[in-house]
Amino acid sequence: MNKLNTIKMELATNPLEKLVKKHTIIAGPCSVENEEQIHEIAKQLSASNQVDILRGGIWKPRTRPNSFEGIGAPALPWLKSAGKAYNLPVATEIANSLHAEAALKAEIDILWLGARTVVNPFAVQEIADALEGTDIPVLVKNPVNPDLELWIGAIERLHKAGIENIMAIHRGFSATGNSQYRNIPKWDIPIELKRRIPGIKIIVDPSHIAGTRALIPSLSQKALDLDFDGLMIETHHNPDKALSDAKQQVTPEDFKGIIDNLTYRERKNEALNLDDLRETIDDLDKDILDLVIKRMQIVKDIANFKKNHNVTILQSGRWEKMLEDRIGYGEKNDLTEKFVYDFFKAIHAESINKQSKIMND
Ligand code: PEP
Ligand code: MN
């Protein structure tokens, strides 16, 4: 394992090269409901001129039985023919090897693994085995729980089966308690995925993050601002009547409005001269480290003193008092309580380890 824990993976530089522009825009209904529905949506989406790939769920993983669980295999040719009619490549979710085989047979262009599948390494491996020897592009959604290793593990399983056209989809993580989101975005996790697998492309699915239409435009803009590589937006010609995820689907007209209103910022750093500012940041980071190193030296002196006088390492009142003081100062200067707390917790944990070592040597 290298120090930064990054994973070298030979991935296609643009996994959907033949199919899309710089950003990948995927749209279409949560579920394919009938032949007319998918044709109508494809027609309206194609008229928007803003979509690269038509999505449609065929097998729907639903939390409770008695919900609409998708049409299943009979809907595959409907999806394919809608794509053909409007010159759009088509994508669907698969959750086991039977789905994989049926989708390949129906010449679906792109497959994705859903959040509920990615949590299960057995299912992912079964799918990887079923796809071995094909060059179909596969999109891997994050698992429902915020576990980056599971997400990476699924990508690795597909890659080991010889799939090179892999992209990830960020659809947020199951939330407990009150949240404005259906699935909380935790942007740090997909950002860390990009760092761990250099070169991987990530599409953001604002529909499943939001759970409601109103949040989709701002989430989409955020995805672009954070330099993600595309969007997947659930789109239905009659969203309120949709058989699944009705609240979060938008009409093709609204979809077009969302995409038209996005601000595409320059993606290449070289275009801007940020060198001076970056150099300052590099210097400041070194200063921060130097201060922490100096602080640790004092911690060691204290540990020797405590050892000689036989007093405990942790003096509880002191730690609470320190935290309160640092958090108060941080808040006055626009740093959140959580950040200051996490920052000092990490420093404090390192201090305690160093002191324990000295005291018990
Ligand atoms: C979907 O895309 O319709 C879907 C079921 O998504 P997820 O796996 O993200 O819940
Ligand atoms: Mn859905």
Side-chain angles (χ1 to χ4, degrees), residues 120-337:
N120 179 353
F122 289 127
V124 175
Q125 191 58 52
E126 177 186 318
I127 292 168
D129 293 342
L131 298 179
E132 189 156 4
T134 71
D135 61 357
I136 189 154
V138 184
L139 314 177
V140 183
K141 286 202 171 195
N142 63 265
V144 283
N145 54 326
D147 183 340
L148 178 61
E149 299 306 320
L150 261 180
W151 200 359
I152 292 176
I155 294 167
E156 282 180 319
R157 284 175 198 279
L158 290 160
H159 189 251
K160 274 178 95 172
I163 310 287
E164 283 182 3
N165 293 320
I166 302 176
M167 281 170 106
I169 302 181
H170 172 42
R171 49 77 81 196
F173 303 92
S174 269
T176 51
N178 288 336
S179 166
Q180 60 172 323
Y181 301 111
R182 178 178 176 194
N183 292 292
I184 36 182
K186 290 185 175 290
W187 296 101
D188 57 304
I189 294 182
I191 290 171
E192 177 66 3
L193 177 66
K194 277 209 167 189
R195 192 191 69 75
R196 290 283 301 278
I197 307 182
I200 188 135
K201 305 274 186 220
I202 306 181
I203 291 174
V204 173
D205 170 349
S207 307
H208 288 88
I209 294 176
T212 55
R213 275 160 221 151
L215 295 173
I216 294 175
S218 58
L219 283 166
S220 302
Q221 184 62 52
K222 176 127 186 180
L224 294 192
D225 291 347
L226 293 176
D227 202 29
F228 288 107
D229 303 286
L231 296 167
M232 180 193 252
I233 298 182
E234 284 191 338
T235 314
H236 194 289
H237 65 305
N238 192 354
D240 288 331
K241 291 274 153 59
L243 298 182
S244 57
D245 288 352
K247 283 209 230 75
Q248 71 193 33
Q249 301 208 57
V250 296
T251 61
E253 194 188 340
D254 287 346
F255 160 80
K256 179 171 165 37
I258 292 168
I259 303 294
D260 284 346
N261 280 313
L262 289 172
T263 305
Y264 287 86
R265 301 182 210 280
E266 185 56 61
R267 300 191 78 191
K268 288 225 172 65
N269 301 331
E270 301 88 85
L272 300 165
N273 196 351
L274 287 174
D275 288 357
D276 288 355
L277 292 174
R278 293 219 159 109
E279 252 171 52
T280 311
I281 293 275
D282 291 345
D283 289 346
L284 285 172
D285 282 351
K286 179 149 177 306
D287 290 350
I288 293 173
L289 276 178
D290 282 341
L291 284 173
V292 172
I293 292 164
K294 211 159 141 192
R295 191 187 190 281
M296 287 304 164
Q297 192 49 53
I298 295 178
V299 163
K300 284 182 193 161
D301 294 345
I302 295 182
N304 281 316
F305 180 88
K306 285 180 184 166
K307 187 177 182 180
N308 294 338
H309 292 79
N310 205 26
V311 292
T312 56
I313 297 177
L314 188 65
Q315 279 147 10
S316 308
R318 161 91 182 135
W319 169 230
E320 266 87 75
K321 176 83 198 49
M322 263 175 65
L323 259 185
E324 201 181 306
D325 176 73
R326 309 315 187 244
I327 287 172
Y329 187 73
E331 279 182 332
K332 273 193 214 123
N333 292 287
D334 205 24
L335 295 177
T336 61
E337 175 178 345

